[in-house]
């Protein structure tokens, strides 16, 4: 699947000046304008609030310039991507940004504009916003375009329904990405998973008519080893613990972790970060059939730990367990898992924040800084060791679904950490979905924490 290229407008076209104005700077700007411009702006009630937009005509009726509101600090804390919000309200044409922004703020707003151009039109015609932006001076346009393309890939994968994005199609999308960047690509499918000792991946996916598989992509010959592990449950019925209809409606997005690590992988490879990148994706469908795994089953994992199945709807941690154990065998300098794993995480922080777990204070510091820079918010959660007993059922080494309902995202993270070995490990429990349209983020699939990680990696891995 080739994502649409979200690019800046060509530099050789005529462009309308677009002034990005803070609320407390509007009067100063008006003081430098002609009387007709002042009259027009004041008559239109433009107050430079975040997301406001106004086209200003010349005396001949053409567009003299356009204004976009940037608000004030307090208003910007309540939302992101003010420029993208304004772009959606501008007339068709090419625009050249005029502002005092620089550095990360400029990059974030320019990225927001590109992300706001995204549409998912595979099944019905959809029109992208008609306003196009020239690459602002003073920033790395190629970097912003690479990030936007990676995010578009993530969104496309999540938005595609399971009838067209099962394990076979997810493998094809990963293979296409590998080919585009000259990466090595290997897949273990079906019964070969048992031969190669991936019993949990096989067990979760064996009831589907599309064989379960483990996707393994490698890129880069030098530098620190970075392993990304993404949950690729292409649809989750809940298995024999069948979900109710309302809970099943969005389960096409249960491969959001896989989609996000593929988008991040594109960013890393396109920007040629000096790392040895590995991407592992257990791709399965949690279906119902006569050979589906059952509540009460006790399974033996790749690592040798036994797992009691108390709920077949807690399958994501099972497929990740085998993949993490495999990834740890390669002794990476950093291993990261991303998964749409628990409803508990959504209850805790809602759909906007990406909760994460890490015991590495250096990683935490770099990630928090990167999240602020990239306007890609994250929230740290604890590997709270006092809860380890909650995932120890007694009859087996581990319980895949502890009873009681408390600390669901924490116990899931503790479960996963048992398989990550001694490597530096971080886990992200993402949502991967915008319930309602917001600036630069239409309703539907979305990447979470990928941009924050991209900003953090150079410091974490000392690149």
């Amino acid at each position: 699947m080739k994502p649409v290229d979200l690019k800046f407008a060509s530099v050789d076209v005529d462009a309308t000046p677009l002034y990005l104005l803070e609320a407390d700077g509007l009067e100063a700007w008006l003081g430098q304008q002609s009387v007709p411009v002042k009259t027009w702006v004041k008559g239109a009630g433009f107050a430079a609030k975040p997301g406001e937009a106004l086209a200003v005509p010349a005396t001949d009726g053409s567009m003299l310039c356009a204004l976009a509101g940037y608000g004030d600090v307090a208003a910007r804390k309540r939302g992101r991507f003010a420029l993208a919000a304004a772009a959606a309200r501008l007339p068709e044409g090419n625009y050249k940004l005029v502002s005092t922004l620089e550095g990360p703020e400029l990059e974030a707003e320019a990225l927001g504009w590109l992300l706001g151009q995204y549409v998912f039109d595979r099944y019905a015609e959809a029109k992208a916003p008609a306003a196009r932006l020239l690459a602002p001076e003073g920033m790395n346009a190629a970097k912003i375009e690479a990030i936007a393309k990676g995010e578009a890939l993530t969104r496309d994968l999540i938005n595609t329904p399971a009838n067209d994005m099962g394990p076979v199609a997810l493998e094809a999308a990963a293979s296409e990405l590998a080919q585009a960047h000259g990466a090595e690509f290997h897949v273990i499918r079906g019964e070969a998973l048992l031969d190669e000792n991936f019993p949990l991946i096989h067990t979760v996916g064996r009831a589907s008519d599309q064989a379960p598989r483990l996707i393994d992509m490698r890129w880069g010959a030098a530098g620190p080893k970075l392993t990304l592990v993404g949950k690729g449950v292409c649809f989750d019925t809940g298995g024999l613990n069948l979900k109710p209809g309302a809970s099943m409606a969005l389960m096409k997005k249960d491969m959001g972790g896989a989609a996000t690590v593929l988008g991040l992988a594109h960013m890393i490879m396109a920007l040629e970060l000096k790392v040895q990148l590995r991407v592992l994706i257990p791709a399965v469908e949690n279906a119902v059939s006569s050979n589906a795994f059952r509540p009460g089953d006790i399974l033996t994992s790749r690592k040798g730990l036994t797992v009691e199945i108390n709920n077949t709807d807690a399958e994501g941690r099972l497929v990740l367990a085998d993949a993490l154990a495999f990834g740890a065998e390669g002794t990476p300098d950093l291993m990261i898992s991303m998964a749409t794993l628990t409803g508990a995480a959504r209850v805790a922080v809602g759909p906007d924040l990406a909760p994460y777990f890490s015991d590495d204070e250096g990683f935490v510091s770099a990630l928090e800084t990167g999240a602020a820079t990239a306007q890609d918010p994250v929230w740290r959660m604890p590997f709270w060791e006092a809860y380890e007993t909650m995932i120890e059922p007694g009859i087996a080494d581990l319980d895949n679904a502890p009873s009681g309902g408390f600390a669901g995202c924490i116990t899931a993270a503790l479960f996963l950490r048992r398989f990550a070995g001694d490597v530096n490990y971080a886990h992200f429990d993402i949502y991967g979905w915008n319930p309602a349209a917001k600036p630069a983020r239409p309703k539907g699939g979305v990447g979470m924490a990928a941009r924050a990680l991209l900003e953090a990696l150079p410091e974490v891995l000392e690149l």
Side-chain angles (χ1 to χ4, degrees):
M1 173 178 290
K2 293 182 179 179
V4 62
D5 279 336
L6 301 176
K7 290 183 174 294
F8 294 108
S10 174
V11 296
D12 61 354
V13 296
D14 294 332
T16 300
L18 173 62
Y19 295 90
L20 183 62
L21 300 173
E22 294 195 64
D24 61 3
L26 177 58
E27 286 301 321
W29 184 85
L30 286 173
Q32 301 172 355
Q33 308 307 312
S34 66
V35 171
V37 169
K38 291 180 185 178
T39 302
W40 180 268
V41 173
K42 290 185 176 181
F46 181 82
K49 296 177 182 178
E52 269 192 298
L54 179 66
V56 179
T59 54
D60 62 0
S62 63
M63 189 159 47
L64 174 68
C65 65
L67 311 181
Y70 198 51
D72 56 23
V73 173
R76 289 194 295 274
K77 286 182 178 179
R78 298 174 67 100
R80 289 179 275 164
F81 304 122
L83 183 59
R89 299 180 174 94
L90 289 172
E92 182 176 3
N94 299 299
Y95 294 86
K96 180 177 181 180
L97 186 65
V98 183
S99 79
T100 59
L101 296 185
E102 57 185 8
E105 289 183 326
L106 177 61
E107 289 191 353
E109 293 301 330
L111 173 64
W113 184 299
L114 292 190
L115 295 180
Q117 304 294 304
Y118 173 85
V119 293
F120 184 66
D121 58 1
R122 179 168 177 172
Y123 301 97
E125 185 176 351
K127 187 176 182 181
R132 299 171 295 275
L133 182 69
L134 270 65
E137 296 179 2
M139 51 159 262
N140 186 340
K143 173 186 174 183
I144 301 305
E145 289 179 341
I147 293 171
K149 185 172 183 177
E151 170 65 17
L153 172 60
T154 295
R155 293 179 181 184
D156 281 349
L157 292 172
I158 296 174
N159 284 330
T160 303
N163 60 310
D164 287 325
M165 189 48 62
V168 173
L170 184 56
E171 176 191 327
S175 175
E176 192 168 0
L177 180 66
Q179 291 177 19
H181 293 285
E184 298 178 16
F185 192 77
H186 179 65
V187 182
I188 304 171
R189 304 179 191 87
E191 297 303 304
L193 289 166
L194 297 177
D195 298 334
E196 299 288 341
N197 192 24
F198 296 98
L200 298 186
I201 298 174
H202 179 271
T203 297
V204 171
R206 70 191 182 198
S208 172
D209 62 354
Q210 293 192 29
R213 61 205 66 208
L214 178 66
I215 297 165
D216 188 352
M217 181 172 69
R218 301 179 190 231
W219 175 89
K225 294 180 180 179
L226 170 66
T227 297
L228 305 177
V229 182
K231 174 185 170 184
V233 178
C234 295
F235 194 82
D236 181 17
T237 66
L240 293 179
N241 290 112
L242 195 68
K243 293 178 183 287
S247 298
M248 210 184 297
L250 275 182
M251 282 301 99
K252 70 175 184 178
K253 77 171 186 66
D254 212 21
M255 40 64 72
T260 301
V261 299
L262 288 174
L264 176 57
H266 167 77
M267 300 174 200
I268 290 169
M269 294 186 289
L271 298 174
E272 299 183 341
L273 296 192
K274 303 303 181 183
V275 298
Q276 297 179 65
L277 174 66
R278 188 179 194 184
V279 177
L280 294 172
I281 296 173
V284 302
E285 180 181 4
N286 188 20
V288 178
S289 187
S290 60
N291 64 340
F293 70 120
R294 298 162 291 258
D297 285 356
I298 295 180
L299 309 176
T300 301
S301 67
R302 178 181 183 84
K303 193 172 182 178
L305 294 173
T306 55
V307 183
E308 181 181 9
I309 305 303
N310 279 315
N311 192 322
T312 62
D313 196 19
E315 84 300 328
R317 67 201 69 184
L318 299 176
V319 298
L320 287 172
D322 273 355
L324 286 170
F326 186 44
E329 293 165 15
T331 62
D333 296 288
L334 176 63
M335 183 161 63
I336 297 168
S337 60
M338 305 193 81
T340 53
L341 203 63
T342 69
R346 306 287 69 78
V347 173
V349 300
D352 285 355
L353 293 165
Y356 73 97
F357 299 77
S358 172
D359 286 329
D360 180 352
E361 296 301 328
F363 174 87
V364 170
S365 176
L367 181 69
E368 297 286 346
T369 299
T373 298
Q375 294 195 22
D376 190 16
V378 299
W379 195 264
R380 188 183 187 185
M381 301 288 280
F383 280 124
W384 189 247
E385 294 188 0
Y387 293 162
E388 289 279 6
T389 57
M390 296 170 64
I391 60 172
E392 296 170 348
I395 192 173
D397 293 319
L398 294 169
D399 183 340
N400 84 318
S403 61
F406 287 137
C409 64
I410 297 175
T411 55
L414 290 171
F415 181 99
L416 294 178
R417 191 174 66 165
R418 295 286 187 100
F419 297 89
D422 296 326
V423 304
N424 187 0
Y425 170 60
H427 166 60
F428 289 76
D429 192 339
I430 64 173
Y431 190 47
W433 190 263
N434 284 320
K438 296 180 180 179
R441 292 155 291 159
K443 181 178 179 180
V446 67
M448 299 180 73
R451 302 195 311 274
L453 281 165
L454 186 70
E455 291 292 333
L457 287 174
E459 180 177 345
V460 172
L461 298 176
E462 299 181 355
L463 301 180

